[in-house]
Amino acid sequence: MARFVLSLHTPPSDHDTTQRIVKFANACLAQGHTIDAIFLYQQGIYHASTHFDLSSDELQISALWQQLADQELNLMLCVTAAEKRGLDIKNTGVFKVAGLAEFAMLASDADKWVQFK
């Protein structure tokens, strides 16, 4: 089976891309593949914000990420991108703060790196 690293580059308002990465991750796991990490980068870091106030008829982004965290996936966000965009890196929910070097090492060790933009 293959080892994957996924990266998300779009903000939470891009519901299509958010749903694609979650469905892709679940499909990989269902087929027995391993996901070494999902890395939030660029505008994707906003998925780690704990300041969402969504109505019940909107895509429940935090719940999607929590479901992946419950499967013990390594959910990471780029510390530099987060700091540049004013995200509180001490309060990132299910996401672990990491550097690009850590992401690069994971991606280089994986069989496949898939970007969601």
Side-chain angles (χ1 to χ4, degrees):
M1 293 289 131
R3 289 178 44 217
F4 286 85
V5 169
L6 311 179
S7 61
L8 178 62
H9 302 250
T10 61
S13 59
D14 184 349
H15 292 187
D16 290 339
T17 304
T18 301
Q19 291 179 52
R20 275 197 312 269
I21 193 170
V22 170
K23 287 179 181 179
F24 185 87
N26 284 321
C28 284
L29 295 172
Q31 292 179 14
H33 300 294
T34 302
I35 298 174
D36 292 340
I38 297 178
F39 188 76
L40 304 182
Y41 190 57
Q42 297 170 330
Q43 299 296 319
I45 58 94
Y46 291 117
H47 286 263
S49 174
T50 57
H51 299 291
F52 287 116
D53 187 20
L54 302 172
S55 63
S56 61
D57 64 339
E58 290 186 83
L59 181 64
Q60 298 301 306
I61 294 165
S62 297
L64 294 174
W65 291 117
Q66 184 61 57
Q67 290 169 359
L68 291 174
D70 290 345
Q71 297 181 64
E72 300 182 12
L73 287 183
N74 184 15
L75 303 177
M76 306 164 68
L77 77 140
C78 179
V79 64
T80 304
E83 287 176 335
K84 284 182 181 180
R85 291 167 175 83
L87 190 73
D88 178 5
I89 60 169
K90 294 183 185 344
N91 191 14
T92 59
V94 296
F95 294 93
K96 174 183 129 188
V97 176
L100 257 156
E102 188 175 351
F103 165 71
M105 289 180 1
L106 287 167
S108 68
D109 288 340
D111 297 312
K112 297 183 186 298
W113 167 30
V114 183
Q115 293 181 316
F116 291 81
K117 291 186 170 188

